[in-house]
Amino acid sequence: MLTAFARAFQTPDLRKKLLFTLGIVVLFRVGAHIPVPGVSWSNVNTCVQEMEDQTGSSSLFGLVNMFSGGALMQLTIFALGIMPYITASIILQLLVVVIPRLEALKKEGQSGTAKITQYTRYLTVALAVLQATGLVATARSGTLFPQCSVRNEIIPDNSIWATIVMVICLTGATILIMWMGELVTDRGIGNGMSLLMFVSIAAGFPASLWQIKQQGSLADGWIEFGVVVACGLAMVGLVVFVELAQRRIPVQYAKRMIGRRSYGGTSTYIPLKVNQAGVIPVIFASSLLYIPQLLVQFAGSNNESGWVDWINRYFTGGDHPYYIITYFLMIVFFAFFYVAITFNPEDVAENMKKYGGFIPGIRAGRPTVEYLSYVLNRITWPGSLYLGLIALVPTVALVMFQAQQDFPFGGTSILIIVGVGLETVRQIESQLHQRNYEGFLR
C-alpha cells in the first residue's frame, strides 16, 4: 500500500490531484478554528471545558457537531459544516420521487442532473440561513450550553446588526465549504463532499479517544482505551464486510441482428448491496429523535407539563429502553423506506426488457418485477438490522464507559468513514491501473 502511494505521487497529474485535495483539507480544518465575529472566544472555551466534564450534555447538537468536526460547539465560521448540503441533498432525493417535474429532469441525463444540482445549491443556502439564525439564537439564549456558568455571555452584543453579521458569516462559510467540495470533485480525488465529511468526523477521533483514557480507572485508563480501540477495529472490519457484500442477480442479453451486425449475447449482473440505503436511515432517525428534545428546550426548563416530564424521562438521556427501541425501529423503517424510493424494480425490469435482457429462469415483465422486489426485501432485512445494531453502539458505550453521545466509534461515524475510505481507495486505485501500476489490493 505504501508502495502504491509512492507510485501515485510519482505520477505528475495524480500527484497534483492528491496535493490539491490535501490543500483543500488543510483550508477546511483551518476554517474550523476561526471564531465567528461577535463571539466571546474565552467564554466559549470555558463552556466547552465545562461540557467535557459533564457526560452527555450536548446530546441535542451531537450529530451536527460531529459533521462539523467539533466546530459547532466552538462557534467557528465553519460551525454549520456540510450539514445544510447533506440535508438539501436528502430532501431533493425525496422530492425527485414525489414531484414529476424533478423526476423528468433526472431522466434527461447530464443536463437534468446539473439542474437538480443547482436546485440543491439554492436549498443549501436557504437551509444555511435558517440554521445559522437558529444557532445564533440558541447560543445567545444559553441553550447551546445549558449547564455552563457563563452561557448567557457567549455573545455579548445583542444588537440586530451583530446578529446579521454572524448569520452572513456562517452562511458564507457554508457556501465556501460547498464550493471547496465541488472543487475537490472536479480537480481532486473522489467525491469532495464525502471527503470533507470524512475529514470532519475523523478530526474528532483523537480527542474522543484520549478523553476515554482520561476518564478510565483501570491501569490509569489504558485498559478502557485498549478495549475501545479493539472494539472499534472489530466494528470497522464488520462494516467493511457488510458494505462490500452484495447480491448479484444474473442478467442475460439475447442476440439481436441490426443490419449485418450482431449485438447482445452477453451476460452481466445487477449488484444489490446488503446495505442499499447507506447511512441515510441513521441520519433520518437521529434527526427525528432530536425533535422532542428540541421542543423541550424551547418549552423551557421551568415548564412542569406532563409531556415535558415524559420526554425528559424517556428520550433525553438516550439510554432508556424506550429510546433505544424507538431508535432501532425507526432505523429499520427508514431503511425500507429509502430503498423503496431509490430503487424501482419496475424501471429496472422495463430497461432490461427494452434492451433484450432477462433473468435466467424468470419471464420478462411482471414476473421480473416481483422477483426483484422479493430479492430486495430479503436483503434489506439484514441490512436494516445491521444498521440498527451499529447505530446502538454509542448508547452501549454511554452506559459502559460513561462516554459522551459523540462516541468516536459510533454507528454514523464508522459507516461514513469506512464508506468514504473505500470509495477514495477505489478512485486512487483506478487511476493507478490506468497507468499500469499496481493498486492497493494485491
Side-chain angles (χ1 to χ4, degrees):
M1 181 175 176
L2 295 178
T3 305
F5 263 118
R7 290 177 175 176
F9 273 98
Q10 290 173 1
T11 307
D13 55 342
L14 190 55
R15 182 174 63 247
K16 290 180 180 178
K17 291 183 178 181
L18 291 173
L19 292 177
F20 180 80
T21 303
L22 291 176
I24 293 294
V25 168
V26 171
L27 291 177
F28 179 66
R29 290 307 302 159
V30 169
H33 293 84
I34 301 176
V36 177
V39 172
S40 176
W41 185 243
S42 59
N43 291 336
V44 170
N45 287 333
T46 301
C47 291
V48 170
Q49 186 63 37
E50 293 182 5
M51 183 191 67
E52 291 177 354
D53 299 333
Q54 298 167 356
T55 302
S57 61
S58 62
S59 60
L60 179 61
F61 304 97
L63 185 68
V64 182
N65 189 52
M66 181 186 69
F67 281 119
S68 65
L72 174 70
M73 291 302 175
Q74 295 179 349
L75 289 177
T76 63
I77 59 173
F78 285 174
L80 298 181
I82 57 175
M83 199 63 184
Y85 184 85
I86 296 174
T87 307
S89 300
I90 294 174
I91 292 175
L92 260 297
Q93 285 183 352
L94 297 177
L95 291 180
V96 164
V97 183
V98 178
I99 302 177
R101 170 59 180 164
L102 294 178
E103 187 176 2
L105 283 176
K106 185 179 180 180
K107 294 180 179 179
E108 288 181 4
Q110 186 175 1
S111 60
T113 303
K115 199 69 175 178
I116 294 177
T117 302
Q118 193 69 19
Y119 292 156
T120 305
R121 294 170 183 163
Y122 295 151
L123 184 57
T124 300
V125 175
L127 291 176
V129 173
L130 182 63
Q131 293 182 15
T133 306
L135 177 61
V136 172
T138 303
R140 178 168 290 162
S141 64
T143 310
L144 186 62
F145 302 101
Q147 314 254 338
C148 179
S149 58
V150 291
R151 60 182 181 274
N152 295 323
E153 302 175 9
I154 294 177
I155 303 178
D157 191 354
N158 294 325
S159 63
I160 298 296
W161 173 248
T163 303
I164 294 175
V165 170
M166 295 177 68
V167 170
I168 291 176
C169 288
L170 291 170
T171 305
T174 302
I175 298 173
L176 178 62
I177 293 174
M178 182 172 60
W179 178 64
M180 290 193 300
E182 293 180 353
L183 282 180
V184 172
T185 303
D186 295 337
R187 301 174 55 185
I189 298 295
N191 189 334
M193 293 300 176
S194 300
L195 203 58
L196 293 181
M197 192 190 313
F198 174 93
V199 172
S200 298
I201 297 174
F205 267 52
S208 299
L209 287 173
W210 188 248
Q211 185 178 2
I212 290 175
K213 187 267 176 188
Q214 290 181 326
Q215 292 177 350
S217 57
L218 300 177
D220 198 20
W222 287 109
I223 293 181
E224 288 89 344
F225 180 84
V227 170
V228 170
V229 171
C231 292
L233 293 177
M235 284 187 58
V236 170
L238 173 64
V239 172
V240 170
F241 178 77
V242 178
E243 290 296 318
L244 296 179
Q246 57 183 220
R247 170 73 159 86
R248 297 182 176 182
I249 300 178
V251 178
Q252 184 73 34
Y253 286 92
K255 287 186 177 180
R256 294 180 299 166
M257 294 297 297
I258 302 179
R260 295 183 178 181
R261 292 182 177 271
S262 176
Y263 295 91
T266 60
S267 60
T268 182
Y269 60 86
I270 301 175
L272 296 179
K273 295 181 62 177
V274 173
N275 182 22
Q276 190 83 3
V279 75
I280 300 300
V282 181
I283 297 177
F284 276 4
S286 302
S287 301
L288 286 182
L289 283 179
Y290 283 153
I291 294 178
Q293 303 178 39
L294 187 64
L295 293 177
V296 171
Q297 294 279 0
F298 284 122
S301 58
N302 297 325
N303 195 315
E304 298 180 356
S305 302
W307 66 273
V308 172
D309 181 66
W310 189 83
I311 292 177
N312 285 328
R313 182 180 305 174
Y314 298 123
F315 285 90
T316 300
D319 55 352
H320 195 277
Y322 285 179
Y323 179 91
I324 296 174
I325 294 174
T326 304
Y327 190 31
F328 182 82
L329 293 178
M330 290 180 67
I331 291 175
V332 173
F333 168 77
F334 281 120
F336 278 92
F337 174 76
Y338 190 76
V339 169
I341 66 174
T342 55
F343 185 89
N344 191 344
E346 295 183 358
D347 291 344
V348 176
E350 182 65 26
N351 291 331
M352 289 171 51
K353 185 177 179 180
K354 183 186 301 183
Y355 295 102
F358 62 93
I359 300 174
I362 307 296
R363 295 179 58 185
R366 173 53 57 181
T368 300
V369 175
E370 294 176 353
Y371 177 76
L372 290 176
S373 301
Y374 171 76
V375 174
L376 191 63
N377 289 331
R378 288 282 298 272
I379 66 173
T380 303
W381 269 114
S384 61
L385 296 177
Y386 145 81
L387 279 178
L389 293 176
I390 291 292
L392 291 179
V393 169
T395 304
V396 176
L398 185 67
V399 177
M400 293 180 59
F401 300 104
Q402 295 298 312
Q404 291 186 357
Q405 291 276 20
D406 53 348
F407 186 66
F409 295 109
T412 308
S413 58
I414 288 293
L415 288 170
I416 293 175
I417 283 182
V418 171
V420 177
L422 290 174
E423 183 61 31
T424 305
V425 167
R426 291 194 194 100
Q427 292 281 346
I428 299 177
E429 189 178 17
S430 64
Q431 296 281 342
L432 292 175
H433 280 310
Q434 289 178 4
R435 295 162 179 83
N436 297 321
Y437 287 141
E438 293 184 2
F440 289 97
L441 304 178
R442 296 186 178 182

